[in-house]
Amino acid sequence: MTLTEQILARASGKNKVEPGENVWVKADVLFTHDVCGPGTIGVFKREFGEKAKVWDRYGVVIIPDHYIFTKDSKANRNVDILREFAREQELPYFYDVIDEMDGQWKFDESRGYLKRQYGLKYAGVCHSALPQKGHVRPGEVLFGTDSHTCTAGAFNQFATGIGNTDAAFVMGTGKLLIKVPATIHFLLDGELPKGVMAKDVILYCIGMIGFDGATYMAMQFDGPGVSSLSIEDRMTIANMAIEAGGKNGIFEFDLQTKAFVDFRCALNNTKSQYSPVFKDKNEKFVKEFVINLSRLEPLVACHPNPANCQPASRLGDVKLDRAYIGSCTGGKLTDFIAFAKIVKNKKVVIDTFGVPATPEVVRELQNTIWEGKSIWQILEDAGVQMTENAGCAACLGGPVDTFGRMNQPLRCISTTNRNFPGRMGHKNSEVYLASPATVAASALTGKITDPREFL
Ligand code: SF4
């Protein structure tokens, strides 16, 4: 069986499962956020009763992250609903934007959009927060009300996005009926050359198979090339499995996975036992690809879909209005480091917005010093508008006052993961998806630029 089949077999109490088979799967963790949480809670209460309790207090994780730092009262109300529910259910893993369980968050004009407007519990973008807070474990099943839940496949788990109704069912019962996906195999070989990043790997895969090329399939990444990819690289790759229609993305377990998960579970005092799955000689795939990482080059997914990929070096005539670094795909610490290395001691020539994925990334950027300056300061000195308000921000457009949102028909190069029309705001805006290095180089020139020109 493939890695995905092994996890689904174990979670459904079977010795063996086959692609296409429907099985009842036990969930280890269910998470939701401020956009889908209120709807999920509404269905849960309607179907299980006003006084019903969730199946496992420790299995439900609630992470407000999408429309947080906004004056929009409906968006603020969504977070209030999550708070009420977490209080009523006594949920230990609710990463609220404020510290008081009976308070309400209000936009603070004196701090504006750039200065921190959250308390100590706040965790930032769900897909980055889940591993940081010790909620991902190899061999487990994670369901989340967000399509990029597949990010956690980086940790050798079955992680997939589900709708509010399914999530309400999991909330009440701890299980879900799942059709076992067939698996596409991506065997990675070699090492990434300078200037080429994990984002380029996944753009290459999506460009090759199409934005529907893995519809309802697992995308399994393994092979000798994986060891050269950091945990954050693997997260970037697994994160975008859904951009090819994938049910999930999944990586092999290795010592890097173990070190990360063990450290994070111990740090946060979360469950520390787990059983990874390993490659099986008899695994069967529907398609197989071998990807030599050393032959890849910086790529850009052009408007209007993530499979519309071309080498950055061939897009030099595409002029840009804006650059954006952030999101669960491209707002991690290593993403900002790659970006900062390129813009250091230079100036961006277009509006450039920086949104760290989590408060932890903010702290690391502010506390890591390069030649007497913090990385944060280096980015600000280069002209990047950095916000301490970690979250999804303009990745999904959001309310009209969202930091970095495109309220006009602009053209933006972005480290985010999706570029369908209107994704980052105005319906006539255009989004070009690229690695942090390519976005940084392009911010310096005002047109799409191969980052290798700056290395
Ligand atoms: S950062 Fe973007 S892709 Fe990631 S969870 Fe938020 S809105 Fe979704």
Side-chain angles (χ1 to χ4, degrees):
M1 290 186 288
T2 65
L3 298 176
T4 296
E5 289 158 11
Q6 288 182 59
I7 295 174
L8 293 180
R10 186 199 288 165
S12 59
K14 293 178 175 256
N15 291 329
K16 190 166 170 34
V17 294
E18 300 270 358
E21 192 178 341
N22 290 310
V23 289
W24 284 101
V25 170
K26 262 177 67 185
D28 291 289
V29 173
L30 167 76
F31 90 86
T32 188
H33 51 50
D34 54 297
V35 175
C36 297
T40 299
I41 291 164
V43 178
F44 170 73
K45 288 190 175 253
R46 189 187 70 210
E47 298 300 325
F48 291 90
E50 275 300 318
K51 298 222 164 104
K53 291 286 179 195
V54 300
W55 105 96
D56 176 4
R57 273 185 338 114
Y58 292 90
V60 177
V61 179
I62 301 189
I63 307 179
D65 59 352
H66 275 62
Y67 304 152
I68 308 303
F69 305 105
T70 169
K71 295 173 196 165
D72 185 298
S73 59
K74 291 198 179 106
N76 301 156
R77 174 72 190 134
N78 277 349
V79 185
D80 295 341
I81 293 171
L82 300 182
R83 188 174 304 117
E84 280 159 31
F85 186 69
R87 192 172 48 211
E88 164 197 314
Q89 298 280 333
E90 300 176 275
L91 298 181
Y93 302 131
F94 171 47
Y95 296 96
D96 200 357
V97 65
I98 55 170
D99 290 334
E100 310 76 37
M101 279 306 271
D102 53 356
Q104 264 189 327
W105 183 88
K106 282 229 161 40
F107 189 85
D108 179 349
E109 295 285 353
S110 70
R111 303 193 70 74
Y113 291 94
L114 300 187
K115 288 281 168 212
R116 171 184 163 152
Q117 294 220 29
Y118 49 82
L120 295 172
K121 289 198 273 185
Y122 183 65
V125 181
C126 51
H127 310 301
S128 299
L130 283 163
Q132 281 182 352
K133 297 293 181 186
H135 297 298
V136 299
R137 277 167 292 267
E140 287 197 350
V141 172
L142 170 75
F143 293 121
T145 59
D146 191 281
S147 61
H148 295 100
T149 303
C150 51
T151 311
F155 302 92
N156 183 250
Q157 72 173 173
F158 177 78
T160 194
I162 56 175
N164 294 357
T165 311
D166 280 354
F169 187 81
V170 177
M171 217 172 229
T173 65
K175 57 188 182 180
L176 191 63
L177 189 64
I178 289 285
K179 184 169 85 173
V180 178
T183 298
I184 305 184
H185 184 207
F186 296 85
L187 188 131
L188 307 183
D189 202 2
E191 277 189 35
L192 287 174
K194 218 171 176 190
V196 183
M197 300 186 68
K199 181 70 166 282
D200 300 304
V201 178
I202 189 62
L203 289 181
Y204 178 82
C205 296
I206 299 168
M208 184 169 62
I209 64 175
F211 67 81
D212 55 356
T215 300
Y216 208 95
M217 291 180 204
M219 295 170 74
Q220 179 171 317
F221 300 91
D222 58 41
V226 171
S227 60
S228 68
L229 299 173
S230 71
I231 285 293
E232 291 200 348
D233 289 338
R234 300 176 199 184
M235 288 169 69
T236 303
I237 293 171
N239 173 279
M240 288 188 70
I242 184 62
E243 304 310 328
K247 182 73 175 164
N248 65 308
I250 191 161
F251 274 81
E252 274 184 282
F253 173 84
D254 66 7
L255 290 177
Q256 273 202 73
T257 331
K258 178 175 165 43
F260 183 100
V261 172
D262 290 355
F263 174 70
R264 290 292 169 170
C265 291
L267 187 68
N268 296 287
N269 201 21
T270 51
K271 186 182 142 204
S272 56
Q273 306 82 29
Y274 56 85
S275 304
V277 286
F278 296 93
K279 272 176 76 66
D280 162 6
K281 275 190 236 122
N282 300 318
E283 58 192 344
K284 288 201 188 89
F285 303 110
V286 277
K287 279 185 205 155
E288 294 194 66
F289 299 98
V290 177
I291 296 173
N292 188 336
L293 300 177
S294 63
R295 296 229 180 99
L296 298 186
E297 58 182 319
L299 294 175
V300 176
C302 302
H303 172 81
N305 80 64
N308 195 11
C309 290
Q310 291 200 45
S313 58
R314 280 196 227 144
L315 295 168
D317 54 351
V318 180
K319 291 214 176 77
L320 301 162
D321 303 302
R322 177 171 289 199
Y324 184 97
I325 171 164
S327 85
C328 50
T329 324
K332 303 181 292 306
L333 181 62
T334 49
D335 297 317
F336 275 95
I337 287 175
F339 189 98
K341 279 186 181 159
I342 289 178
V343 300
K344 186 172 160 234
N345 298 330
K346 300 188 184 69
K347 287 274 182 207
V348 299
V349 298
I350 51 176
D351 277 345
T352 302
F353 295 84
V355 189
T358 66
E360 185 175 309
V361 176
V362 174
R363 282 196 299 277
E364 289 288 333
L365 292 174
Q366 293 181 338
N367 295 334
T368 306
I369 307 295
W370 289 353
E371 295 165 21
K373 251 193 213 179
S374 70
I375 301 179
W376 190 273
Q377 193 61 52
I378 286 167
L379 293 165
E380 284 191 333
D381 288 351
V384 182
Q385 300 174 57
M386 293 292 297
T387 179
E388 292 177 348
N389 290 315
C392 296
C395 172
L396 184 60
V400 74
D401 64 342
T402 300
F403 183 75
R405 185 185 194 275
M406 287 199 280
N407 291 327
Q408 289 166 331
L410 304 173
R411 184 180 286 151
C412 176
I413 188 156
S414 174
T415 66
T416 53
N417 50 34
R418 198 168 273 172
N419 60 348
F420 296 119
R423 170 71 181 181
M424 291 183 74
H426 197 284
K427 67 177 190 300
N428 294 326
S429 57
E430 294 182 5
V431 178
Y432 287 69
L433 306 173
S435 75
T438 302
V439 173
S442 304
L444 293 175
T445 61
K447 54 195 176 63
I448 293 180
T449 302
D450 186 322
R452 293 173 297 185
E453 290 180 24
F454 287 91
L455 294 172

